[in-house]
Short mmCIF file of all heavy atoms in Angstrom, two decimals:
data_model
loop_
_atom_site.label_atom_id
_atom_site.label_comp_id
_atom_site.label_asym_id
_atom_site.label_seq_id
_atom_site.Cartn_x
_atom_site.Cartn_y
_atom_site.Cartn_z
N THR A 18 58.44 476.53 129.24
CA THR A 18 57.37 476.63 128.24
C THR A 18 56.69 475.27 128.06
O THR A 18 57.15 474.26 128.59
CB THR A 18 57.97 477.11 126.89
OG1 THR A 18 56.92 477.30 125.93
CG2 THR A 18 58.96 476.09 126.31
N GLY A 19 55.59 475.26 127.31
CA GLY A 19 54.97 474.02 126.85
C GLY A 19 54.61 473.04 127.95
O GLY A 19 54.12 473.41 129.02
N ILE A 20 54.86 471.77 127.67
CA ILE A 20 54.48 470.70 128.59
C ILE A 20 55.23 470.85 129.92
O ILE A 20 54.64 470.68 131.00
CB ILE A 20 54.77 469.32 127.95
CG1 ILE A 20 53.80 469.09 126.78
CG2 ILE A 20 54.65 468.20 128.97
CD1 ILE A 20 54.11 467.86 125.92
N GLY A 21 56.51 471.18 129.87
CA GLY A 21 57.30 471.32 131.10
C GLY A 21 56.73 472.40 132.01
O GLY A 21 56.67 472.23 133.23
N GLN A 22 56.31 473.51 131.42
CA GLN A 22 55.72 474.59 132.21
C GLN A 22 54.43 474.13 132.88
O GLN A 22 54.21 474.34 134.08
CB GLN A 22 55.46 475.81 131.33
CG GLN A 22 54.88 476.98 132.10
CD GLN A 22 54.76 478.23 131.25
OE1 GLN A 22 54.07 478.22 130.23
NE2 GLN A 22 55.42 479.28 131.66
N ALA A 23 53.58 473.47 132.10
CA ALA A 23 52.30 473.00 132.65
C ALA A 23 52.52 471.97 133.75
O ALA A 23 51.82 471.96 134.77
CB ALA A 23 51.43 472.41 131.53
N PRO A 177 52.90 461.62 125.38
CA PRO A 177 51.87 462.58 124.95
C PRO A 177 51.51 462.35 123.49
O PRO A 177 52.36 461.98 122.68
CB PRO A 177 52.57 463.94 125.11
CG PRO A 177 53.81 463.70 125.90
CD PRO A 177 54.19 462.28 125.62
N GLY A 178 50.25 462.60 123.18
CA GLY A 178 49.84 462.60 121.78
C GLY A 178 50.26 463.92 121.14
O GLY A 178 51.31 464.48 121.46
N TYR A 179 49.43 464.41 120.23
CA TYR A 179 49.74 465.67 119.54
C TYR A 179 49.26 466.83 120.40
O TYR A 179 48.06 467.05 120.56
CB TYR A 179 49.09 465.66 118.16
CG TYR A 179 49.84 464.75 117.21
CD1 TYR A 179 49.54 463.39 117.13
CD2 TYR A 179 50.89 465.24 116.44
CE1 TYR A 179 50.25 462.55 116.27
CE2 TYR A 179 51.61 464.40 115.59
CZ TYR A 179 51.28 463.06 115.52
OH TYR A 179 52.00 462.24 114.69
N ILE A 180 50.23 467.55 120.97
CA ILE A 180 49.94 468.61 121.94
C ILE A 180 50.31 469.96 121.33
O ILE A 180 51.35 470.08 120.66
CB ILE A 180 50.76 468.40 123.24
CG1 ILE A 180 50.65 466.94 123.74
CG2 ILE A 180 50.32 469.38 124.32
CD1 ILE A 180 49.30 466.47 124.16
N GLU A 181 49.46 470.97 121.60
CA GLU A 181 49.71 472.32 121.07
C GLU A 181 50.85 472.99 121.82
O GLU A 181 50.64 473.60 122.87
CB GLU A 181 48.45 473.18 121.25
CG GLU A 181 47.33 472.82 120.34
CD GLU A 181 46.02 473.53 120.71
OE1 GLU A 181 45.92 474.06 121.83
OE2 GLU A 181 45.11 473.52 119.89
N THR A 182 52.08 472.86 121.29
CA THR A 182 53.25 473.55 121.88
C THR A 182 54.16 473.98 120.71
O THR A 182 53.88 473.67 119.55
CB THR A 182 54.06 472.63 122.81
OG1 THR A 182 54.65 471.60 122.01
CG2 THR A 182 53.22 472.01 123.90
N ASN A 183 55.30 474.61 121.07
CA ASN A 183 56.28 475.00 120.04
C ASN A 183 56.71 473.81 119.19
O ASN A 183 56.95 473.92 118.00
CB ASN A 183 57.56 475.56 120.69
CG ASN A 183 57.28 476.77 121.53
OD1 ASN A 183 56.29 477.46 121.31
ND2 ASN A 183 58.15 477.06 122.50
N ASN A 184 56.81 472.65 119.87
CA ASN A 184 57.29 471.41 119.25
C ASN A 184 56.46 471.02 118.03
O ASN A 184 56.98 470.41 117.09
CB ASN A 184 57.25 470.32 120.35
CG ASN A 184 57.64 468.95 119.87
OD1 ASN A 184 56.93 468.35 119.08
ND2 ASN A 184 58.76 468.44 120.36
N THR A 185 55.19 471.36 118.02
CA THR A 185 54.28 470.92 116.95
C THR A 185 53.78 472.08 116.08
O THR A 185 52.86 471.90 115.29
CB THR A 185 53.06 470.19 117.56
OG1 THR A 185 52.49 471.03 118.57
CG2 THR A 185 53.46 468.86 118.16
N GLU A 186 54.42 473.23 116.23
CA GLU A 186 54.00 474.42 115.49
C GLU A 186 53.99 474.17 113.98
O GLU A 186 53.02 474.52 113.28
CB GLU A 186 54.95 475.57 115.83
CG GLU A 186 54.29 476.92 115.81
CD GLU A 186 55.24 478.00 116.30
OE1 GLU A 186 56.14 477.70 117.11
OE2 GLU A 186 55.08 479.14 115.84
N ALA A 187 55.06 473.51 113.49
CA ALA A 187 55.18 473.28 112.05
C ALA A 187 54.04 472.40 111.54
O ALA A 187 53.53 472.60 110.42
CB ALA A 187 56.54 472.63 111.73
N LEU A 188 53.64 471.42 112.33
CA LEU A 188 52.55 470.52 111.92
C LEU A 188 51.22 471.26 111.85
O LEU A 188 50.43 471.07 110.91
CB LEU A 188 52.43 469.35 112.91
CG LEU A 188 53.59 468.37 112.99
CD1 LEU A 188 53.32 467.31 114.03
CD2 LEU A 188 53.82 467.72 111.62
N ARG A 189 50.98 472.09 112.86
CA ARG A 189 49.70 472.81 112.90
C ARG A 189 49.63 473.86 111.80
O ARG A 189 48.54 474.21 111.34
CB ARG A 189 49.47 473.42 114.28
CG ARG A 189 48.96 472.38 115.28
CD ARG A 189 48.80 472.88 116.69
NE ARG A 189 50.09 473.04 117.33
CZ ARG A 189 50.58 474.18 117.79
NH1 ARG A 189 49.88 475.29 117.69
NH2 ARG A 189 51.77 474.23 118.35
N ALA A 190 50.81 474.34 111.36
CA ALA A 190 50.84 475.36 110.31
C ALA A 190 50.63 474.76 108.93
O ALA A 190 50.35 475.48 107.97
CB ALA A 190 52.18 476.09 110.36
N ASN A 195 47.72 469.00 109.49
CA ASN A 195 46.83 469.32 110.60
C ASN A 195 45.52 468.55 110.48
O ASN A 195 45.05 467.93 111.44
CB ASN A 195 46.58 470.84 110.61
CG ASN A 195 45.83 471.28 111.86
OD1 ASN A 195 46.13 470.82 112.96
ND2 ASN A 195 44.85 472.15 111.69
N ILE A 198 46.01 464.75 111.01
CA ILE A 198 46.20 464.43 112.44
C ILE A 198 44.87 464.48 113.17
O ILE A 198 44.48 463.54 113.87
CB ILE A 198 47.24 465.40 113.05
CG1 ILE A 198 48.65 465.04 112.55
CG2 ILE A 198 47.19 465.38 114.57
CD1 ILE A 198 49.71 466.09 112.82
N LEU A 199 44.12 465.57 112.95
CA LEU A 199 42.84 465.71 113.65
C LEU A 199 41.87 464.59 113.29
O LEU A 199 41.14 464.08 114.15
CB LEU A 199 42.21 467.07 113.32
CG LEU A 199 42.70 468.24 114.16
CD1 LEU A 199 42.08 469.54 113.67
CD2 LEU A 199 42.39 468.02 115.65
N ILE A 202 42.45 461.51 115.52
CA ILE A 202 42.36 461.56 116.98
C ILE A 202 40.91 461.33 117.42
O ILE A 202 40.05 462.18 117.17
CB ILE A 202 42.86 462.93 117.52
CG1 ILE A 202 44.31 463.17 117.10
CG2 ILE A 202 42.73 462.98 119.05
CD1 ILE A 202 44.85 464.55 117.46
N GLY A 205 39.09 464.11 118.88
CA GLY A 205 38.69 465.16 117.95
C GLY A 205 39.35 466.52 118.17
O GLY A 205 38.90 467.52 117.62
N ARG A 206 40.39 466.57 118.94
CA ARG A 206 41.09 467.85 119.15
C ARG A 206 42.55 467.59 119.47
O ARG A 206 42.93 466.49 119.87
CB ARG A 206 40.46 468.63 120.32
CG ARG A 206 40.61 467.96 121.68
CD ARG A 206 40.30 468.94 122.82
NE ARG A 206 40.30 468.31 124.13
CZ ARG A 206 41.38 468.14 124.90
NH1 ARG A 206 42.58 468.54 124.48
NH2 ARG A 206 41.28 467.58 126.10
N TRP A 207 43.38 468.62 119.26
CA TRP A 207 44.77 468.57 119.71
C TRP A 207 44.78 468.53 121.25
O TRP A 207 43.86 469.05 121.90
CB TRP A 207 45.53 469.81 119.24
CG TRP A 207 45.99 469.72 117.83
CD1 TRP A 207 45.20 469.86 116.72
CD2 TRP A 207 47.31 469.46 117.36
NE1 TRP A 207 45.97 469.69 115.59
CE2 TRP A 207 47.27 469.44 115.96
CE3 TRP A 207 48.53 469.23 117.99
CZ2 TRP A 207 48.39 469.21 115.17
CZ3 TRP A 207 49.66 468.99 117.22
CH2 TRP A 207 49.58 468.98 115.82
N GLY A 208 45.81 467.94 121.81
CA GLY A 208 45.94 467.96 123.26
C GLY A 208 46.50 469.28 123.74
O GLY A 208 47.09 470.05 122.96
N ARG A 209 46.29 469.56 125.03
CA ARG A 209 46.87 470.76 125.64
C ARG A 209 47.91 470.31 126.67
O ARG A 209 47.81 469.21 127.23
CB ARG A 209 45.79 471.57 126.37
CG ARG A 209 44.67 471.99 125.45
CD ARG A 209 43.55 472.75 126.16
NE ARG A 209 42.39 472.80 125.26
CZ ARG A 209 41.29 472.07 125.42
NH1 ARG A 209 41.16 471.27 126.47
NH2 ARG A 209 40.31 472.13 124.54
N ALA A 210 48.86 471.19 126.93
CA ALA A 210 49.93 470.84 127.88
C ALA A 210 49.33 470.41 129.22
O ALA A 210 49.83 469.51 129.89
CB ALA A 210 50.87 472.03 128.05
N GLU A 211 48.21 471.04 129.58
CA GLU A 211 47.56 470.72 130.87
C GLU A 211 47.04 469.28 130.87
O GLU A 211 46.90 468.66 131.94
CB GLU A 211 46.40 471.69 131.14
CG GLU A 211 46.82 473.13 131.42
CD GLU A 211 47.37 473.86 130.19
OE1 GLU A 211 47.01 473.47 129.04
OE2 GLU A 211 48.15 474.81 130.37
N ASP A 212 46.74 468.73 129.69
CA ASP A 212 46.29 467.33 129.63
C ASP A 212 47.39 466.38 130.11
O ASP A 212 47.12 465.31 130.64
CB ASP A 212 45.90 466.95 128.19
CG ASP A 212 44.64 467.65 127.71
OD1 ASP A 212 43.70 467.79 128.51
OD2 ASP A 212 44.60 468.05 126.53
N ILE A 213 48.63 466.77 129.89
CA ILE A 213 49.76 465.93 130.30
C ILE A 213 50.09 466.16 131.78
O ILE A 213 50.51 465.25 132.50
CB ILE A 213 51.01 466.27 129.45
CG1 ILE A 213 50.69 466.18 127.95
CG2 ILE A 213 52.19 465.38 129.81
CD1 ILE A 213 50.10 464.86 127.51
N VAL A 235 48.84 459.50 126.70
CA VAL A 235 47.85 460.56 126.95
C VAL A 235 47.69 461.25 125.61
O VAL A 235 48.38 462.23 125.29
CB VAL A 235 48.35 461.53 128.05
CG1 VAL A 235 47.29 462.59 128.34
CG2 VAL A 235 48.67 460.76 129.34
#
Side-chain angles (χ1 to χ4, degrees):
T18 184
I20 291 171
Q22 181 174 60
Y179 286 88
I180 312 296
E181 288 170 344
T182 67
N183 300 336
N184 177 293
T185 52
E186 211 174 332
L188 294 179
R189 280 176 286 119
N195 188 42
I198 287 167
L199 276 176
I202 301 174
R206 65 166 175 87
W207 280 75
R209 301 177 194 106
E211 292 70 25
D212 291 320
I213 306 305
V235 182

